[in-house]
Amino acid sequence: MEPSAAVSALSALAHESRLRAFRLLVRVAPEGIPAGAIAEQLGVAPPTLSFHLSHLVRAGLIESRRVGR
């Protein structure tokens, strides 16, 4: 891993909510879990969770996908 990528990943995980979300996603991998279920389990408002998940995506730690409609 390149140093800049490592710094980005560590920076993204340096926030408690992002770390908790990442740990939850690791536990349910590879199936994943809907964002609403993550917000409910972590007790975080959906807009706040979206903000945190976007940080994890930009750091290359998670991927998002749409399923359904």
Side-chain angles (χ1 to χ4, degrees):
M1 179 180 264
E2 292 293 320
S4 62
V7 169
S8 179
L10 291 171
S11 175
L13 294 173
H15 190 280
E16 181 182 355
S17 293
R18 289 192 286 269
L19 179 59
R20 290 175 59 216
F22 181 75
R23 293 178 71 189
L24 173 61
L25 288 166
V26 167
R27 284 194 307 268
V28 299
E31 295 83 22
I33 185 172
I38 297 171
E40 186 177 305
Q41 287 190 29
L42 299 181
V44 176
T48 302
L49 179 66
S50 178
F51 172 79
H52 290 307
L53 291 178
S54 69
H55 275 271
L56 295 173
V57 169
R58 282 194 304 274
L61 296 172
I62 64 171
E63 296 177 350
S64 65
R65 65 177 183 255
R66 292 188 182 265
V67 178
R69 302 183 232 169

